[in-house]
Amino acid sequence: MTSVAGWAAASTPGAFPPLPRAVAQSFYRRMRAVAPAAVGAIERDRAGDPEQSFSDTACGRLAGSLDDAGLRALGMWTHHWCMRFYDDDTRVGRRLIREIAARPGLGWTADEVRWMLRESVSAGPAAADRFTLPRAAAGQLTPADRRALGRWPEVEVPRQRRPDQAG
């Protein structure tokens, strides 16, 4: 599995301490477990009614069927997928990310947030919603874990557009 960021961004020095290879590999293993269902749900939702309530969509049903760990893996996979293929075709994936980001208490870890931030930074400004999930996940960390993320000197996390302001 590759991404805009890829292994190099996950393991190189910078604003974020490098992730141990075993940690990054565990993320990819968890994401691969949800990927087939996520791809199928996203494809079904692309063909469906974009005005449908989230809980009535294939992505909504998938998200509703997962425990917190599964939902974190789905969020990370969807974030990863959107960072790789960010364009108008990611509308369904971006909706899924916003829905997962709005869920409190998912038990995010500092390593998960750090990984998503690296992906977001590597994607660059063309991916306007790239900080939606890492920002929400970081907000759920304990104060000690937020401090463990360190300062982000090379990254100014921009304010996100509200979905009703998307253009």
Side-chain angles (χ1 to χ4, degrees), residues 42 78 81-83 85-100 127-130 132 161 166-167:
I42 286 171
T78 307
W81 178 77
C82 284
M83 294 305 98
F85 303 112
Y86 200 93
D87 58 23
D88 290 339
D89 202 26
T90 59
R91 174 186 49 80
V92 172
R94 292 191 329 264
R95 180 181 186 189
L96 179 55
I97 286 172
R98 286 191 306 271
E99 292 288 336
I100 293 170
D129 300 319
R130 69 191 186 277
T132 299
R161 295 179 308 206

Side-chain angles (χ1 to χ4, degrees), residues 8-157:
S11 60
T12 55
F16 312 100
L19 292 173
R21 186 173 193 88
V23 171
Q25 288 299 69
S26 74
F27 295 162
Y28 290 115
R29 200 171 28 259
R30 288 175 26 218
M31 289 187 296
R32 278 192 298 270
V34 297
V39 169
I42 286 171
E43 289 302 318
R44 285 189 300 281
D45 287 350
R46 279 188 185 150
D49 177 11
E51 300 300 318
Q52 195 172 19
S53 73
F54 181 73
S55 61
D56 293 334
T57 65
C59 287
R61 288 188 298 277
L62 174 60
S65 72
L66 298 171
D67 63 7
D68 288 349
L71 199 53
R72 285 194 326 268
L74 177 62
M76 290 175 69
W77 180 86
T78 307
H79 174 80
H80 180 73
W81 178 77
C82 284
M83 294 305 98
R84 289 170 49 205
F85 303 112
Y86 200 93
D87 58 23
D88 290 339
D89 202 26
T90 59
R91 174 186 49 80
V92 172
R94 292 191 329 264
R95 180 181 186 189
L96 179 55
I97 286 172
R98 286 191 306 271
E99 292 288 336
I100 293 170
R103 300 206 181 185
L106 290 180
W108 295 100
T109 68
D111 283 340
E112 289 168 339
V113 173
R114 188 177 301 116
W115 181 85
M116 287 187 291
L117 283 167
R118 284 179 178 275
E119 291 259 315
S120 299
V121 170
S122 296
D129 300 319
R130 69 191 186 277
F131 290 108
T132 299
L133 190 56
R135 173 180 270 216
Q140 293 182 23
L141 294 175
T142 65
D145 284 340
R146 276 195 296 266
R147 281 191 299 277
L149 284 177
R151 295 186 51 82
W152 308 334
E154 64 200 49
V155 180
E156 181 176 327
V157 179

